Amino acid sequence: MQALPSLSKDIVLVGGGHAHALVLRRLGMAPLAGARLTLVNPGTTAPYSGMLPGHIAGHYERDTLLIDLHRLCRFAGARLIDGRATAIDREARELVVETGAGLLRLGYDILSLDVGVTSDMPALPGFSEHASPAKPLDAFAARWEAFATDPGAARVVVIGAGVAGVELAMAARHRLAAGGAAPRVTLVDAGAALTALGGAARARLFEELRKSGIALVEQARVERVEADAVVLADGRSLAADFVIGAGGARAQDWLAATGLALNDGFVRVGADLRSVSDPAIFAVGDCAHFEPDPRPKAGVYAVRAAPVLEENLRREVAGTTPLQPFRPQRDYLKLISLGEKAALGEKLGLVASGDWVWRVKDRIDRAFMRKFTDYPAMAAEGVHDEPVLCAGCGAKIAPGALKAALAELPTPDRDDVVSLPGDDAAILAMEGDWQVITTDHLRGFTEDLALMTRIAAVHALGDVWAMGARPQAALASVTLPRMAPPMQARSMREVLAAASAVFRAEGAELVGGHSSMGAEVQLGFTVTGLRTEFPVGLDGAQVGDALILTKPLGTGTVLAGDMRGQARAEWVAAALASMARAQGDAARLLSTSHAMTDVTGFGLAGHLLAICEASGLGASVKLASIPLLPGAAELAEKGVRSTLWEENRLAVADRIALPAPAPAAADLLFDPQTAGGLLAAVPPGRASKLLAELEAAGFTAARIGQVMAGEVFVRVQ
């Protein structure tokens, strides 16, 4: 029997900068045996800095300059953690990450930093409240887009007259003028402008600023930023509707507390790109200070460092010495945008400018971005004789086969065990209380173990919530891929910490379980809950009841699209966030419903028909009222479906009427949901109040239809 490959080293890449993005692409082309790759980044996309001025000027759509880190990590076989690194515990070899669910401690054997710099000026009064730092780039681009669509008087002040500040000033002026405004753009600097350039290039840019009508204020220190002005130390006030901070690259503040050797806040690295004070940590890009030959902060050095970093990661995992040295070039071609589709180029003192230089720059930039849209190994993804097997609830056994098997189970002989038709949870009679017990597990569909655990826990709690019970206790069932014992310990800590947090937040305790190794991650939980009244079932719906759904549909379709490389990063992120959203608050609000279920593997249509069948009634649903996850409708239009979709549709085809012709969104009625919403039948007079309370609690809830008299049948309008 062939042994499964074993993982022995954890490589954690912190930051989705240019170097790390290229390293991941290279590792996707030639995987690194024995290593588990993790990328930690605040967000699932990373902007390419070379195209930012073009975006600000209106030449590129925002998506054009965003690297889809989710797709990149899937290509590289890496897990993506959406969170911000805040500390490094070097003694424990753990990275502390701030995520939406709280702090996460990630163990590492090798850590690499590519976290860039910031243009934030927290010490400048009023900057945090009234200005936008140019870095991080993604947040700045979003703020600029919002302003440029309604610029008011279009008065822009750029603090910092280096190359980046000049590019942004000219780009802002072009965009606002093209939109019909009469922009007033001012560059202000505490010293002299454009000192990083040679004389000829500097003179050419000064002339471009003059022709553009951009005011340049040099040798002027900014005293404070106000809501509508930048106030200088000499008392002058520069009127401003939008203030850009481009006053030099500053190191990320959290690096100061790492204990690493730093130079002005930047991580000091040797020729091999390792920290001079900790051989387990590498640093590249703008956050690094290259000790053997200090270089300016420029993306070109990060790009050139990527192959060296990749090779040294391979040698570290293999235990091969020595590591490869990085030899940065002495000079490089500087390409500077001039606002309109023109650019200036400078190298070795030679200068050229014009629209042809822009075309050269545009070709270079687009070629770089194609590295993260054209993945050769992914071209055949999803093209198989058999469909790609979905994970999550898309991997469930077909409803018809499951129903047939369950029908052969004997009815309970025990008086204290109640089994209701169609319900997944059993009901146990206790003195003074009813206990419900249920179990569920999922095949992993995200490499982020903590996030996958939260989703699995929320999913398993669904039947307890649907019965109106209070979660009580949970047992875990964990299958991990084959890995070395230290990595097993790290992984189990991630799983158990995430699970315990979910259950404790709902008043339950994780009390034990079972673990094993296998071919892939599988996570499951057995959960109990308590209820004083008899639990809510499927069979209590009444004619006229309003049908309320607490979460949007589309998880199966988005996950299927993700597996086929057709889902955008933000769509996947939204789906994962929805699945990880606990529903205890919603369940408490809906605990007096006439009937309730959680929408999971058999889709909205299957679970609604289960209520109808148990209650002996029909239902009417308004398709336009059903909330959908971002991207779900677009993927459905393309025919993207989970592998369980067809079986779900066939199982209810004779009991559901769709409009003719049925829109593509109707396909989502049969989409298997993972950790889906609660579906409740409530008295119509209470529906509006309940919806308002659910919305106030943060749920994307909707009234999607009503229960009808007549045969067990669902009509979709």
Side-chain angles (χ1 to χ4, degrees):
M1 183 175 182
Q2 187 176 3
L4 295 170
S6 179
L7 299 172
S8 59
K9 297 286 186 182
D10 263 315
I11 299 177
V12 178
L13 308 178
V14 188
H18 302 352
H20 279 174
L22 289 168
V23 165
L24 284 167
R25 188 182 191 279
R26 293 170 70 92
L27 291 175
M29 300 284 285
L32 179 51
R36 176 169 63 177
L37 299 173
T38 302
L39 174 66
V40 177
N41 191 74
T44 56
T45 60
Y48 170 50
S49 58
M51 299 176 82
L52 178 67
H55 168 64
I56 298 304
H59 306 318
Y60 300 122
E61 294 294 328
R62 186 164 178 261
D63 287 349
T64 308
L65 66 150
L66 293 180
I67 298 172
D68 186 328
L69 296 178
H70 179 84
R71 186 164 178 246
L72 172 61
C73 285
R74 180 171 285 281
F75 172 74
R79 56 179 180 164
L80 173 62
I81 308 288
D82 184 352
R84 187 178 301 277
T86 59
I88 301 173
D89 184 338
R90 292 167 52 209
E91 184 175 352
R93 288 203 175 184
E94 290 183 335
L95 177 75
V96 181
V97 183
E98 184 180 297
T99 72
L103 290 181
L104 173 67
R105 298 181 72 91
L106 280 177
Y108 67 86
D109 295 294
I110 304 167
L111 189 74
S112 180
L113 302 170
D114 187 12
V115 295
V117 294
T118 178
S119 299
D120 195 9
M121 304 176 188
L124 180 61
F127 186 90
S128 298
E129 296 83 1
H130 307 301
S132 297
K135 293 185 177 182
L137 301 181
D138 47 356
F140 170 67
R143 293 192 195 104
W144 168 256
E145 189 62 31
F147 169 74
T149 56
D150 185 18
R155 299 169 301 185
V156 177
V157 174
V158 181
I159 302 174
V163 171
V166 168
E167 277 193 298
L168 291 175
M170 290 192 288
R173 188 246 169 224
H174 177 82
R175 169 73 179 274
L176 296 174
R184 290 166 52 193
V185 180
T186 304
L187 269 165
V188 58
D189 200 289
L194 295 169
T195 53
L197 294 177
R202 191 166 180 246
R204 190 80 60 90
L205 282 177
F206 279 144
E207 177 61 18
E208 292 292 338
L209 290 173
R210 186 193 64 76
K211 289 194 300 185
S212 298
I214 296 173
L216 176 61
V217 182
E218 298 180 278
Q219 309 297 334
R221 184 173 60 85
V222 175
E223 182 74 21
R224 65 183 182 276
V225 180
E226 297 179 346
D228 58 358
V230 173
V231 180
L232 305 182
D234 60 12
R236 284 180 291 172
S237 180
L238 307 175
D241 303 300
F242 193 85
V243 178
I244 301 172
R250 192 170 61 82
Q252 302 282 352
D253 293 331
W254 67 274
L255 293 174
T258 61
L260 294 169
L262 305 176
N263 181 286
D264 197 24
F266 301 100
V267 180
R268 293 167 53 199
V269 298
D272 55 9
L273 301 177
R274 288 193 301 188
S275 162
V276 298
S277 57
D278 191 334
I281 297 178
F282 292 79
V284 287
D286 287 352
C287 72
H289 173 78
F290 190 64
E291 194 106 316
D293 187 9
R295 300 280 82 203
K297 303 299 180 189
V300 65
Y301 295 114
V303 171
R304 294 290 182 89
V308 178
L309 176 61
E310 182 221 357
E311 176 60 25
N312 286 345
L313 293 177
R314 291 185 183 278
R315 295 186 184 188
E316 278 287 280
V317 170
T320 304
T321 57
L323 299 188
Q324 182 175 322
F326 174 50
R327 297 184 176 88
Q329 66 272 42
R330 296 301 304 169
D331 196 12
Y332 64 95
L333 175 62
K334 304 171 188 68
L335 293 168
I336 302 167
S337 299
L338 300 177
E340 57 189 7
K341 288 187 177 181
L344 179 144
E346 189 269 342
K347 185 177 182 181
L348 299 174
L350 301 175
V351 179
S353 63
D355 54 0
W356 71 270
V357 181
W358 164 268
R359 290 194 294 272
V360 171
K361 183 180 188 306
D362 180 63
R363 281 198 296 272
I364 293 172
D365 290 338
R366 290 184 184 274
F368 179 83
M369 287 302 296
R370 277 196 297 274
K371 294 178 184 293
F372 305 103
T373 55
D374 301 341
Y375 293 106
M378 294 182 73
E381 240 185 45
V383 183
H384 303 275
D385 293 335
E386 295 292 333
V388 177
L389 180 62
C390 290
C393 259
K396 290 185 72 166
I397 292 175
L402 183 60
K403 189 174 182 178
L406 291 174
E408 298 180 12
L409 277 178
T411 57
D413 281 340
R414 293 182 60 100
D415 294 338
D416 57 354
V417 176
V418 181
S419 179
L420 294 179
D423 275 312
D424 292 329
I427 301 172
L428 309 180
M430 301 175 65
E431 288 189 16
D433 252 327
W434 296 91
Q435 185 182 58
V436 301
I437 182 168
T438 184
T439 189
D440 222 320
H441 81 278
L442 300 171
R443 288 180 59 228
F445 48 78
T446 172
E447 298 294 334
D448 182 342
L449 263 182
L451 177 58
M452 187 65 227
T453 301
R454 290 195 296 274
I455 292 170
V458 168
H459 183 73
L461 281 163
D463 288 318
V464 174
W465 286 325
M467 288 189 153
R470 309 179 304 278
Q472 178 191 25
L475 294 168
S477 177
V478 181
T479 301
L480 297 175
R482 189 177 178 210
M483 58 182 65
M487 293 182 68
Q488 292 176 19
R490 289 172 190 162
S491 299
M492 287 302 295
R493 280 198 297 269
E494 287 183 42
V495 168
L496 297 179
S500 180
V502 171
F503 289 117
R504 281 208 159 187
E506 296 301 322
E509 294 293 344
L510 179 65
V511 294
H514 178 77
S515 63
S516 63
M517 288 191 297
E520 61 183 359
V521 170
Q522 295 198 40
L523 298 171
F525 298 93
T526 298
V527 187
T528 64
L530 298 172
R531 182 175 166 94
T532 303
E533 301 84 11
F534 191 78
V536 180
L538 301 175
D539 58 350
Q542 299 179 16
V543 175
D545 277 352
L547 294 170
I548 290 178
L549 181 65
T550 62
K551 282 187 180 183
L553 297 183
T555 62
T557 294
V558 173
L559 291 178
D562 179 34
M563 292 179 68
R564 291 158 176 77
Q566 297 181 47
R568 296 158 61 101
E570 58 266 33
W571 297 349
V572 179
L576 293 172
S578 178
M579 287 185 272
R581 175 74 157 92
Q583 298 197 92
D585 292 340
R588 285 183 281 276
L589 289 170
L590 297 169
S591 62
T592 58
S593 300
H594 289 155
M596 186 157 55
T597 187
D598 60 329
V599 180
T600 53
F602 302 144
L604 177 63
H607 289 283
L608 175 55
L609 274 164
I611 288 179
C612 293
E613 186 173 340
S615 303
L617 297 169
S620 174
V621 171
K622 291 184 178 179
L623 193 59
S625 298
I626 298 174
L628 303 178
L629 285 167
E634 290 91 330
L635 290 168
E637 287 277 359
K638 296 178 180 178
V640 174
R641 296 167 180 159
S642 169
T643 48
L644 190 59
W645 181 90
E646 181 65 15
E647 294 290 347
N648 281 350
R649 186 189 66 83
L650 290 174
V652 300
D654 60 342
R655 293 178 293 164
I656 187 166
L658 298 174
D667 285 355
L668 297 171
L669 294 171
F670 316 109
D671 188 45
Q673 303 302 289
T674 300
L678 298 173
L679 176 65
V682 305
R686 296 184 54 223
S688 296
K689 183 175 184 295
L690 283 170
L691 281 173
E693 290 172 338
L694 287 165
E695 184 178 350
F699 291 93
T700 310
R703 180 174 180 168
I704 65 168
Q706 64 180 355
V707 178
M708 309 288 288
E711 60 181 325
V712 176
F713 200 82
V714 173
R715 299 188 184 280
V716 181
Q717 302 173 344

